[in-house]
Structures are given as C-alpha cells and as structure tokens.
C-alpha cells in the first residue's frame, strides 16, 4: 500500500496553466480508466520537495471546451494515481466589484448552472443509491493553507467567494450575470462543476484557486475581448504559480491526516 506521506498533491490547470513551471518532471503517464481518457497525460514531479501530479484540464494544447471535458476520467485518473488533495485552478469572470482582472479568489461556495454534463460516478447498475454531503464543496483545511500563503506573499486576493459554474463555451449575457449576482455569485466560471462534486464523491480534499481574467458581462461598458483576457492571465498567472509553489508542502502535509 502506498504510504500517505508519499501521495502526490494533484493540480488541475485550466486556461493559462497548461504546464507547471518549476516542476522537476520525473515522468509522464497516459492513462485511461472506466470513464474514458483524461484530457492530458499526468505529469509527475517535484515542486519544491513535494510530489505533484499535474493534469491540463483542457488538454495541451488548449483544445477541449468546458462542456466537453471528461471530468470523470480526469478526477478518477488522479485518484487512481494516489491523489487525495486536489487543487483546481480556474480562470473566471469577476461579478463582485472587488474581484477585477488579475485578482485571485479562493472560493468557499458554488452554485451550479451547468446542464447535460456527466456529473457523478454513482449511476448505472448500482447496488444502492448514494447521496454525498456537499454543503461545503471546498475543503477548509486546504483553503486555509492557500489563504495563509497568499497573505504571506502579500497578494491581491479574496479569501471567500461564491463560484457560479456556467455551461459555456460562450460567455454569459449581461442579464445572466445580473441573475447570478442576485443569486449571490461573486464569480462566473465554466469548469468548477462537476469537478468539485466528483472529487467529493471520491472523498478527496478539493480546493479551487481562481484567477479573475475579466469583469463579467455588463460589469463594464466595454466588450470582453480575448486580448484583454490574455493580458489578465499574463499579469495574474505568475502570482498563481508562486502561490501554488509555496502551498504544496502544506497541502501535502494534509495527506497524513484522516
């Protein structure tokens, strides 16, 4: 049986994070499972002294749209490789006025607006119906580690926020964003679900690390352009990578806890 201390921390990279700089690569593996083929190979290595497994959510190159990602294959592959603490990095739109481009958010809640995605491992020929407690979708111990390191680094970040998961791949309308704001959403993203729920079904510690890459539709008087989004990614992703590098040791230490 694999020693818990040796279990890797998993990182799923989204838009702007298709590879993890600073990772001392020790291997790559292509792996399929009962749910199909993951978006990319699993890249294993050391980030500092911590074992890490990295997966590019949209593939590398970036080619799989949010609604066609095989979330089940991705999460299962990481679980099968020993990951029990998983960080999902998400590029999002900012709804809350304090969450503008290049701002980092470590959300504590989410609302799911997606539809038609394969969002559970519990289907098909089951012995019994299974319901998971999803009251708190993000692991508080993992969130605390990211928050502590973000504070230490002096980053511009928010320690709480509600992630609204939309279907994509199109961006939202201004009316949709107004509805999301009335619902209590602070962020609009396309990949937060069903990833978080699948991790919960497998008993993994899941945390989201969000980079705001644009103000959501209707929050400014200007159109959202991919050039503006890319600039925010370029400006903010350095801080995201630094935060990951400084947090993985603490996240890895969670592996020894029940």
């Amino acid at each position: 049986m694999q020693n818990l201390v040796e279990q890797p921390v998993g990182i799923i990279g989204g838009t702007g994070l298709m590879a993890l700089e600073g990772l001392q690569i020790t291997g790559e593996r292509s792996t399929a499972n009962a749910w199909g083929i993951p978006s990319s190979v699993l890249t294993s290595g050391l980030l500092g002294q911590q074992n890490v497994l990295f997966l590019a959510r949209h593939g590398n190159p970036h080619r799989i749209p949010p609604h066609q990602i095989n979330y089940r294959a991705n999460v299962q592959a990481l679980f099968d490789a020993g990951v029990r603490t998983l960080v999902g990095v998400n590029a999002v739109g900012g709804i809350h006025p304090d969450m503008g481009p290049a701002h980092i958010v470590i959300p504590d809640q989410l609302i799911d607006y997606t539809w038609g995605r394969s969002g559970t491992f519990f289907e098909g020929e089951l012995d019994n119906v299974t319901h998971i407690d999803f009251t708190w979708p993000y692991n508080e111990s993992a969130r605390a580690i990211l928050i502590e390191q973000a504070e230490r680094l002096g980053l511009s970040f928010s320690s709480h926020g509600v992630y609204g998961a939309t279907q994509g791949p199109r961006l939202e309308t201004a009316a949709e964003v107004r509805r999301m704001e009335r619902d209590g959403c602070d962020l609009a993203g396309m990949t937060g679900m069903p990833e978080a729920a699948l991790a919960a079904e497998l008993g993994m510690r899941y945390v989201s690390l969000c980079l705001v890459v644009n103000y959501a539709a209707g929050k400014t008087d200007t159109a959202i352009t991919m050039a503006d989004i890319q600039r925010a990614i370029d400006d903010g992703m350095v801080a995201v990578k630094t935060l990951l590098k400084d947090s993985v040791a603490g996240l890895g230490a969670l592996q020894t806890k029940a």
Side-chain angles (χ1 to χ4, degrees):
M1 179 178 293
Q2 186 178 29
N3 189 302
L4 284 173
V5 176
E6 297 175 350
Q7 286 181 337
V9 170
I11 299 173
I12 298 180
T15 300
L17 187 63
M18 293 180 292
L20 196 56
E21 295 173 11
L23 181 67
Q24 300 176 45
I25 296 175
T26 58
E28 290 184 342
R29 68 186 84 171
S30 298
T31 179
N33 52 61
W35 309 105
I37 301 172
S39 298
S40 72
V41 298
L42 298 184
T43 301
S44 58
L46 290 173
L47 198 56
Q49 297 301 310
Q50 174 60 47
N51 291 319
V52 168
L53 270 176
F54 179 81
L55 184 148
R57 185 186 288 115
H58 295 277
N60 190 3
H62 188 287
R63 59 183 175 79
I64 308 173
H67 66 296
Q68 291 187 323
I69 293 168
N70 191 336
Y71 294 94
R72 292 191 293 190
N74 288 352
V75 175
Q76 186 71 60
L78 288 161
F79 182 85
D80 291 346
V83 170
R84 297 297 180 269
T85 300
L86 177 59
V87 183
V89 180
N90 304 96
V92 298
I95 299 174
H96 192 286
D98 293 339
M99 299 178 184
H103 189 71
I104 289 172
V105 184
I106 304 165
D108 62 316
Q109 275 295 338
L110 66 80
I111 299 175
D112 188 9
Y113 300 96
T114 66
W115 50 270
R117 302 183 181 190
S118 298
T120 181
F121 294 116
F122 300 126
E123 64 180 21
E125 298 296 325
L126 301 175
D127 293 331
N128 55 273
V129 176
T130 302
H131 303 283
I132 61 164
D133 179 5
F134 203 49
T135 306
W136 306 105
Y138 304 115
N139 180 266
E140 277 301 313
S141 297
R143 279 189 1 94
I145 290 166
L146 291 177
I147 290 166
E148 179 182 0
Q149 293 302 320
E151 289 174 343
R152 187 186 64 80
L153 290 166
L155 301 181
S156 172
F157 84 104
S158 296
S159 61
H160 294 78
V162 179
Y163 182 118
T166 63
Q167 180 71 359
R170 67 168 177 83
L171 299 179
E172 301 75 35
T173 68
E176 288 170 333
V177 169
R178 289 195 297 270
R179 179 190 66 167
M180 293 174 71
E181 188 170 26
R182 290 193 298 270
D183 287 349
C185 295
D186 300 303
L187 305 167
M190 300 176 189
T191 56
M193 283 291 286
E195 193 171 276
L198 292 167
E201 286 186 349
L202 293 178
M204 302 169 82
R205 303 175 192 87
Y206 181 85
V207 63
S208 173
L209 176 57
C210 293
L211 175 66
V212 180
V213 297
N214 60 278
Y215 278 113
K219 290 300 171 181
T220 66
D221 295 330
T222 59
I224 300 170
T225 69
M226 293 308 299
D228 289 338
I229 289 174
Q230 188 59 54
R231 275 193 292 272
I233 290 173
D234 294 340
D235 290 343
M237 198 53 71
V238 172
V240 168
K241 292 174 181 178
T242 300
L243 180 53
L244 284 171
K245 183 175 182 296
D246 286 11
S247 299
V248 291
L251 294 170
L254 295 177
Q255 309 287 51
T256 62
K257 298 180 181 180

